Amino acid sequence: MRILLAFGFIICIGLQSFAQTTACTRRLVLAEEAFDQGRLQDVLDALGKEKKDARDCFSNFTTEERIRAEKLLTKVYIFTDNVPEAESALIDLLHVDKEHQLAKDDPSELHFLYSQFKTEPIFRVAARLSANKSMPVIIQPFNTFQGGSKKYNGADGADTGLGIGFSGEILVERHIKNGIEVGIGAQYRIASYEVEGNLLNDTEKQLFYKVKNQSNMLRIPVLGRYNFNYDKKDAEGLRLKKMFYVFGGASFDIVTSAKYINTDRTGGTAFTLNDNNDLTGEFDQVASTNASIFGGVGLRMRMGREQVDFLSFEIRYDNSLFNYIKSENRYANKSVNFDIGHVEDDLALNTISISVGYTRSIYKPSKRKQYR
């Protein structure tokens, strides 16, 4: 019995809500008809927010109905010379539809009022995840023994990995004008490169070793971006959903940790490095700070009903400006230099990366200063 009563109560609530929604939709339609006939007071009687039943309707409207109602009220207040209420209604409209696009046949008075307000985002927040491949550029080679040679990241048939790493990035961006944006943020990057080396011992018997150098970096990038066709619209007057872009910038890089992993030697007496593998601690072999420049291309796609957020895909190349290795401490770790047989070359640790990201636009609609 209780279950039936509860079920009946839920049905009654649902029917009441449906009836109220239907009545509100009918109220909006009648208000639009009254506007078309020039009966502006009837529109205010139906949708004026000072009336409780009208306020209830605004909370029951669908998003599209709310947009229609807010825009209708804005026009009515303009034509009744109630500027404060017209501005308030326009701000309410922009809260519902962040970058509401006026139609060509909208009244010129509405276009003029609209031009007085900030409709662009105050800033954007972007998050990206990337996979990177290290591409070390040798500045000057070094070896423990004369006659040795090295191959990096599987090059020339080397029996090593590809030097794959990952990164995460948060950026705060600001649109300046005509598709031009600037941004600053923080990136945490894990990068690695792998080396296969060979050398000769006293009996002319070849010895082989493998070394994997892995570093964690906190990076502070600053960038500029140009979006092609940022404000271009299609035949229906809507902004294009896809945009290509190019970007470039610079980064200050801080190495938070670096170490050797999966490091061993074969041939002769085998040796595996288990301890003494920290490059940033006792042996201090890696530069603690660096700087780099970068550039790339990407594709942005507008997302959601309002088309103000973005899904992005990009390819980026980072070019390190300074030596990754501290030259003065190159031979500090004897276990690596003589038991493994590896000496770090002077090198720039460059990377190429592919990323996917999501950008959220943050808005605060307000009147422009020159119109206050």
Side-chain angles (χ1 to χ4, degrees), residues 239-256:
R239 286 180 172 176
L240 297 180
K241 291 186 177 182
K242 295 181 181 179
M243 296 180 295
F244 288 97
Y245 62 88
V246 294
F247 65 95
S251 174
F252 178 69
D253 307 332
I254 303 170
V255 177
T256 59

PDB file of all heavy atoms in Angstrom, residues 239-256:
ATOM      1  N   ARG A 239      29.866  30.368 -35.770  1.00  0.00           N
ATOM      2  CA  ARG A 239      31.313  30.261 -35.860  1.00  0.00           C
ATOM      3  C   ARG A 239      31.727  28.862 -36.300  1.00  0.00           C
ATOM      4  O   ARG A 239      31.096  27.868 -35.936  1.00  0.00           O
ATOM      5  CB  ARG A 239      31.943  30.578 -34.498  1.00  0.00           C
ATOM      6  CG  ARG A 239      31.915  32.061 -34.159  1.00  0.00           C
ATOM      7  CD  ARG A 239      32.547  32.293 -32.809  1.00  0.00           C
ATOM      8  NE  ARG A 239      32.704  33.703 -32.530  1.00  0.00           N
ATOM      9  CZ  ARG A 239      33.167  34.190 -31.387  1.00  0.00           C
ATOM     10  NH1 ARG A 239      33.510  33.361 -30.423  1.00  0.00           N
ATOM     11  NH2 ARG A 239      33.276  35.483 -31.208  1.00  0.00           N
ATOM     12  N   LEU A 240      32.816  28.805 -37.076  1.00  0.00           N
ATOM     13  CA  LEU A 240      33.312  27.511 -37.529  1.00  0.00           C
ATOM     14  C   LEU A 240      33.730  26.670 -36.335  1.00  0.00           C
ATOM     15  O   LEU A 240      34.343  27.162 -35.384  1.00  0.00           O
ATOM     16  CB  LEU A 240      34.508  27.704 -38.467  1.00  0.00           C
ATOM     17  CG  LEU A 240      34.221  28.454 -39.776  1.00  0.00           C
ATOM     18  CD1 LEU A 240      35.501  28.561 -40.593  1.00  0.00           C
ATOM     19  CD2 LEU A 240      33.131  27.757 -40.577  1.00  0.00           C
ATOM     20  N   LYS A 241      33.404  25.380 -36.391  1.00  0.00           N
ATOM     21  CA  LYS A 241      33.691  24.498 -35.261  1.00  0.00           C
ATOM     22  C   LYS A 241      35.153  24.073 -35.203  1.00  0.00           C
ATOM     23  O   LYS A 241      35.656  23.738 -34.133  1.00  0.00           O
ATOM     24  CB  LYS A 241      32.791  23.261 -35.330  1.00  0.00           C
ATOM     25  CG  LYS A 241      31.324  23.554 -35.056  1.00  0.00           C
ATOM     26  CD  LYS A 241      30.517  22.272 -34.986  1.00  0.00           C
ATOM     27  CE  LYS A 241      29.060  22.568 -34.637  1.00  0.00           C
ATOM     28  NZ  LYS A 241      28.252  21.318 -34.523  1.00  0.00           N
ATOM     29  N   LYS A 242      35.849  24.071 -36.341  1.00  0.00           N
ATOM     30  CA  LYS A 242      37.231  23.623 -36.369  1.00  0.00           C
ATOM     31  C   LYS A 242      38.155  24.777 -36.730  1.00  0.00           C
ATOM     32  O   LYS A 242      37.847  25.560 -37.622  1.00  0.00           O
ATOM     33  CB  LYS A 242      37.404  22.487 -37.381  1.00  0.00           C
ATOM     34  CG  LYS A 242      36.642  21.223 -37.018  1.00  0.00           C
ATOM     35  CD  LYS A 242      36.879  20.136 -38.050  1.00  0.00           C
ATOM     36  CE  LYS A 242      36.103  18.873 -37.699  1.00  0.00           C
ATOM     37  NZ  LYS A 242      36.303  17.795 -38.707  1.00  0.00           N
ATOM     38  N   MET A 243      39.260  24.860 -36.004  1.00  0.00           N
ATOM     39  CA  MET A 243      40.250  25.902 -36.263  1.00  0.00           C
ATOM     40  C   MET A 243      41.645  25.297 -36.183  1.00  0.00           C
ATOM     41  O   MET A 243      41.945  24.569 -35.231  1.00  0.00           O
ATOM     42  CB  MET A 243      40.167  27.017 -35.222  1.00  0.00           C
ATOM     43  CG  MET A 243      38.895  27.808 -35.199  1.00  0.00           C
ATOM     44  SD  MET A 243      38.986  29.075 -33.903  1.00  0.00           S
ATOM     45  CE  MET A 243      39.059  28.060 -32.431  1.00  0.00           C
ATOM     46  N   PHE A 244      42.480  25.598 -37.150  1.00  0.00           N
ATOM     47  CA  PHE A 244      43.897  25.266 -37.063  1.00  0.00           C
ATOM     48  C   PHE A 244      44.628  26.441 -36.406  1.00  0.00           C
ATOM     49  O   PHE A 244      44.204  27.591 -36.505  1.00  0.00           O
ATOM     50  CB  PHE A 244      44.469  24.981 -38.444  1.00  0.00           C
ATOM     51  CG  PHE A 244      44.000  23.673 -39.023  1.00  0.00           C
ATOM     52  CD1 PHE A 244      42.927  23.652 -39.912  1.00  0.00           C
ATOM     53  CD2 PHE A 244      44.613  22.481 -38.665  1.00  0.00           C
ATOM     54  CE1 PHE A 244      42.484  22.446 -40.442  1.00  0.00           C
ATOM     55  CE2 PHE A 244      44.174  21.280 -39.185  1.00  0.00           C
ATOM     56  CZ  PHE A 244      43.105  21.254 -40.072  1.00  0.00           C
ATOM     57  N   TYR A 245      45.722  26.129 -35.744  1.00  0.00           N
ATOM     58  CA  TYR A 245      46.492  27.200 -35.106  1.00  0.00           C
ATOM     59  C   TYR A 245      47.978  26.873 -35.119  1.00  0.00           C
ATOM     60  O   TYR A 245      48.399  25.722 -35.277  1.00  0.00           O
ATOM     61  CB  TYR A 245      46.016  27.452 -33.674  1.00  0.00           C
ATOM     62  CG  TYR A 245      46.152  26.283 -32.714  1.00  0.00           C
ATOM     63  CD1 TYR A 245      47.330  26.073 -31.991  1.00  0.00           C
ATOM     64  CD2 TYR A 245      45.098  25.405 -32.505  1.00  0.00           C
ATOM     65  CE1 TYR A 245      47.448  25.031 -31.099  1.00  0.00           C
ATOM     66  CE2 TYR A 245      45.201  24.352 -31.612  1.00  0.00           C
ATOM     67  CZ  TYR A 245      46.376  24.167 -30.913  1.00  0.00           C
ATOM     68  OH  TYR A 245      46.498  23.110 -30.032  1.00  0.00           O
ATOM     69  N   VAL A 246      48.761  27.920 -34.985  1.00  0.00           N
ATOM     70  CA  VAL A 246      50.211  27.798 -34.826  1.00  0.00           C
ATOM     71  C   VAL A 246      50.586  28.515 -33.530  1.00  0.00           C
ATOM     72  O   VAL A 246      49.888  29.434 -33.091  1.00  0.00           O
ATOM     73  CB  VAL A 246      50.971  28.408 -36.020  1.00  0.00           C
ATOM     74  CG1 VAL A 246      50.697  27.616 -37.289  1.00  0.00           C
ATOM     75  CG2 VAL A 246      50.590  29.881 -36.223  1.00  0.00           C
ATOM     76  N   PHE A 247      51.679  28.091 -32.928  1.00  0.00           N
ATOM     77  CA  PHE A 247      52.076  28.710 -31.662  1.00  0.00           C
ATOM     78  C   PHE A 247      53.582  28.605 -31.480  1.00  0.00           C
ATOM     79  O   PHE A 247      54.265  27.799 -32.121  1.00  0.00           O
ATOM     80  CB  PHE A 247      51.355  28.044 -30.481  1.00  0.00           C
ATOM     81  CG  PHE A 247      51.717  26.597 -30.272  1.00  0.00           C
ATOM     82  CD1 PHE A 247      52.701  26.232 -29.363  1.00  0.00           C
ATOM     83  CD2 PHE A 247      51.083  25.596 -30.987  1.00  0.00           C
ATOM     84  CE1 PHE A 247      53.044  24.901 -29.179  1.00  0.00           C
ATOM     85  CE2 PHE A 247      51.400  24.263 -30.814  1.00  0.00           C
ATOM     86  CZ  PHE A 247      52.391  23.910 -29.900  1.00  0.00           C
ATOM     87  N   GLY A 248      54.086  29.430 -30.593  1.00  0.00           N
ATOM     88  CA  GLY A 248      55.500  29.403 -30.250  1.00  0.00           C
ATOM     89  C   GLY A 248      55.701  30.054 -28.901  1.00  0.00           C
ATOM     90  O   GLY A 248      54.838  30.794 -28.407  1.00  0.00           O
ATOM     91  N   GLY A 249      56.826  29.761 -28.275  1.00  0.00           N
ATOM     92  CA  GLY A 249      57.074  30.351 -26.965  1.00  0.00           C
ATOM     93  C   GLY A 249      58.403  29.911 -26.390  1.00  0.00           C
ATOM     94  O   GLY A 249      59.263  29.356 -27.077  1.00  0.00           O
ATOM     95  N   ALA A 250      58.565  30.154 -25.104  1.00  0.00           N
ATOM     96  CA  ALA A 250      59.789  29.811 -24.379  1.00  0.00           C
ATOM     97  C   ALA A 250      59.424  29.256 -23.012  1.00  0.00           C
ATOM     98  O   ALA A 250      58.325  29.494 -22.501  1.00  0.00           O
ATOM     99  CB  ALA A 250      60.684  31.040 -24.231  1.00  0.00           C
ATOM    100  N   SER A 251      60.355  28.513 -22.442  1.00  0.00           N
ATOM    101  CA  SER A 251      60.086  27.880 -21.155  1.00  0.00           C
ATOM    102  C   SER A 251      61.322  27.924 -20.270  1.00  0.00           C
ATOM    103  O   SER A 251      62.449  27.761 -20.753  1.00  0.00           O
ATOM    104  CB  SER A 251      59.648  26.419 -21.369  1.00  0.00           C
ATOM    105  OG  SER A 251      59.510  25.746 -20.137  1.00  0.00           O
ATOM    106  N   PHE A 252      61.090  28.146 -18.991  1.00  0.00           N
ATOM    107  CA  PHE A 252      62.136  28.010 -17.979  1.00  0.00           C
ATOM    108  C   PHE A 252      61.966  26.641 -17.342  1.00  0.00           C
ATOM    109  O   PHE A 252      60.873  26.302 -16.872  1.00  0.00           O
ATOM    110  CB  PHE A 252      62.027  29.114 -16.927  1.00  0.00           C
ATOM    111  CG  PHE A 252      63.043  28.996 -15.823  1.00  0.00           C
ATOM    112  CD1 PHE A 252      64.389  29.228 -16.079  1.00  0.00           C
ATOM    113  CD2 PHE A 252      62.660  28.645 -14.537  1.00  0.00           C
ATOM    114  CE1 PHE A 252      65.335  29.124 -15.067  1.00  0.00           C
ATOM    115  CE2 PHE A 252      63.597  28.539 -13.515  1.00  0.00           C
ATOM    116  CZ  PHE A 252      64.935  28.777 -13.782  1.00  0.00           C
ATOM    117  N   ASP A 253      63.028  25.841 -17.338  1.00  0.00           N
ATOM    118  CA  ASP A 253      62.930  24.438 -16.940  1.00  0.00           C
ATOM    119  C   ASP A 253      63.740  24.168 -15.672  1.00  0.00           C
ATOM    120  O   ASP A 253      64.900  24.576 -15.567  1.00  0.00           O
ATOM    121  CB  ASP A 253      63.440  23.536 -18.063  1.00  0.00           C
ATOM    122  CG  ASP A 253      62.758  23.826 -19.397  1.00  0.00           C
ATOM    123  OD1 ASP A 253      61.601  24.292 -19.363  1.00  0.00           O
ATOM    124  OD2 ASP A 253      63.389  23.598 -20.441  1.00  0.00           O
ATOM    125  N   ILE A 254      63.101  23.446 -14.744  1.00  0.00           N
ATOM    126  CA  ILE A 254      63.754  23.073 -13.496  1.00  0.00           C
ATOM    127  C   ILE A 254      63.765  21.552 -13.395  1.00  0.00           C
ATOM    128  O   ILE A 254      62.708  20.915 -13.417  1.00  0.00           O
ATOM    129  CB  ILE A 254      63.020  23.654 -12.274  1.00  0.00           C
ATOM    130  CG1 ILE A 254      62.921  25.179 -12.383  1.00  0.00           C
ATOM    131  CG2 ILE A 254      63.708  23.251 -10.977  1.00  0.00           C
ATOM    132  CD1 ILE A 254      62.002  25.803 -11.353  1.00  0.00           C
ATOM    133  N   VAL A 255      64.952  20.953 -13.302  1.00  0.00           N
ATOM    134  CA  VAL A 255      65.054  19.507 -13.156  1.00  0.00           C
ATOM    135  C   VAL A 255      64.810  19.154 -11.689  1.00  0.00           C
ATOM    136  O   VAL A 255      65.588  19.547 -10.817  1.00  0.00           O
ATOM    137  CB  VAL A 255      66.431  18.999 -13.613  1.00  0.00           C
ATOM    138  CG1 VAL A 255      66.548  17.492 -13.385  1.00  0.00           C
ATOM    139  CG2 VAL A 255      66.661  19.328 -15.082  1.00  0.00           C
ATOM    140  N   THR A 256      63.743  18.440 -11.417  1.00  0.00           N
ATOM    141  CA  THR A 256      63.429  18.057 -10.031  1.00  0.00           C
ATOM    142  C   THR A 256      64.110  16.749  -9.638  1.00  0.00           C
ATOM    143  O   THR A 256      64.400  16.534  -8.459  1.00  0.00           O
ATOM    144  CB  THR A 256      61.911  17.921  -9.843  1.00  0.00           C
ATOM    145  OG1 THR A 256      61.401  16.936 -10.757  1.00  0.00           O
ATOM    146  CG2 THR A 256      61.215  19.253 -10.119  1.00  0.00           C
TER     147      THR A 256
END
